[in-house]
Amino acid sequence: MADRDPDDRSERDSWADGDGSDWDDGEDAWRDDPSSDGGRPEPTGAPDGATGGTLTLKGLVSTTAISAGVLLLGVVVGMIGLILSMSVLTAGFGMRFGADQNTTVLIVLQLVLLQGIGFGVASMAYLRYRDLGFDYLRARTPTLNDVKWVVGIFVASFAILIVGSQILSMLGLSGEGHSIADTASGNPDILLALIPLSFLLIGPGEELLFRGVIQNAFVDRVGVRGGIAASSAFFVLIHLPNYSGLEGLPTLSVLFAISVTWGYAYERTDSLFVPAMAHGAYNALQFGLLYITLKYAPEAPSMLLW
């Protein structure tokens, strides 16, 4: 990826100026060079900002189905790993897992096996399926500019959260809290383990799958705007169970907007590091705020955990 200039892309991409025709210029020859783009297909009449073939309903349905399959694979791998791990711990060490038993161990196992192993295996399986290189994910060495983007997108994400909370309150729409808030209410110390895991597993694991795989897949097919929207829709979908299903749609609408900022940052910087760390910082701050609330002001509402 050393030959790709994020600033060059950001100034002329279709979501910035509405015209993707400049991609055919000689100075952007890397766009037509699969080796510099992780093996993406050459542009052959796709919408502005896309790098794949001509957009068709069949192609869109196929991309959606494949993305859903990759996501399902990650969940299945994670669940199988979780069941096996719990069985080993129960049989070998006598550990029991229930409402109030070994909750911290169970949550850590879920994160390691789903976001860490499950999503990782699914992402690598997709690359193997499409015969793509690791560079396709744009997981390059971060730069100082990337760090600045992390800070900016983290602040923007939290601003969207606060503004979104206020709008829902004004509209009389109740926001559903994350299921972890209920779990941690009886044992706030769980949240202390989740803070470092936000940077090590939650942010990197989820962004690897939703941005590195799903967003890239849709950008190849429908362009940058469509790719960001599609990956954010999948991101919201996987979080439905954490927010009481359809009852949490008002909350998830704000989460969708936050996810869009992470997808935007990914396209502007060409670096998976940026959304992964911004996502991790966003979660870590919320876990920290919830810990302080539950520990020192348990009667106060924990409105910021989304």
Side-chain angles (χ1 to χ4, degrees):
M1 300 300 291
D3 55 346
R4 169 177 280 185
D5 184 350
D7 294 331
D8 186 52
R9 175 177 181 170
S10 64
E11 291 174 1
R12 292 196 308 277
D13 209 347
S14 63
W15 45 261
D17 59 17
D19 182 6
S21 61
D22 289 339
W23 289 120
D24 293 329
D25 292 346
E27 66 185 272
D28 293 301
W30 62 264
R31 187 69 165 175
D32 299 317
D33 178 9
S35 65
S36 67
D37 204 10
R40 282 189 177 186
E42 295 182 357
T44 55
D48 289 346
T51 62
T54 303
L55 176 62
T56 63
L57 178 59
K58 180 180 178 181
L60 183 58
V61 170
S62 174
T63 302
T64 302
I66 291 173
S67 297
V70 172
L71 178 56
L72 180 60
L73 174 62
V75 173
V76 169
V77 170
M79 290 303 298
I80 292 175
L82 180 62
I83 293 172
L84 292 176
S85 298
M86 291 173 62
S87 299
V88 169
L89 292 174
T90 299
F93 300 93
M95 296 181 68
R96 296 291 183 270
F97 299 94
D100 299 314
Q101 294 180 300
N102 297 305
T103 308
T104 301
V105 174
L106 181 59
I107 290 179
V108 170
L109 279 176
Q110 289 175 333
L111 292 176
V112 170
L113 294 167
L114 181 60
Q115 277 91 339
I117 297 177
F119 286 178
V121 168
S123 298
M124 294 306 105
Y126 176 81
L127 294 183
R128 181 67 180 269
Y129 169 74
R130 287 198 60 194
D131 194 24
L132 298 168
F134 190 72
D135 283 351
Y136 182 83
L137 303 173
R138 292 180 265 173
R140 59 173 173 77
T141 302
T143 65
L144 178 59
N145 188 58
D146 291 338
V147 175
K148 293 177 181 178
W149 267 90
V150 169
V151 175
I153 292 299
F154 162 69
V155 172
S157 300
F158 227 80
I160 292 173
L161 171 64
I162 294 172
V163 172
S165 301
Q166 294 301 316
I167 292 176
L168 291 184
S169 179
M170 291 170 56
L171 295 176
L173 298 174
S174 60
E176 293 290 332
H178 196 289
S179 57
I180 286 180
D182 294 330
T183 303
S185 61
N187 183 13
D189 291 340
I190 293 173
L191 299 166
L192 296 179
L194 294 181
I195 292 174
L197 289 176
S198 295
F199 293 101
L200 297 173
L201 289 174
I202 301 177
E206 293 189 351
E207 293 306 304
L208 170 65
L209 180 63
F210 292 101
R211 243 56 66 178
V213 171
I214 294 177
Q215 181 162 312
N216 273 330
F218 276 97
V219 167
D220 285 346
R221 181 62 62 179
V222 301
V224 175
R225 293 189 186 93
I228 293 174
S231 66
S232 297
F234 272 94
F235 183 78
V236 166
L237 177 65
I238 197 64
H239 286 83
L240 272 174
N242 299 122
Y243 294 95
S244 304
L246 296 179
E247 294 180 6
L249 285 179
T251 299
L252 290 169
S253 66
V254 180
L255 184 61
F256 177 86
I258 293 171
S259 179
V260 166
T261 68
W262 297 335
Y264 171 81
Y266 180 55
E267 295 300 329
R268 284 301 300 266
T269 62
D270 265 342
S271 173
L272 191 63
F273 171 84
V274 174
M277 290 300 100
H279 186 164
Y282 171 84
N283 281 10
L285 179 57
Q286 290 197 87
F287 292 140
L289 290 174
L290 182 60
Y291 174 80
I292 293 172
T293 299
L294 294 176
K295 200 75 172 179
Y296 302 105
E299 300 303 319
S302 56
M303 293 179 61
L304 288 180
L305 188 74
W306 289 52

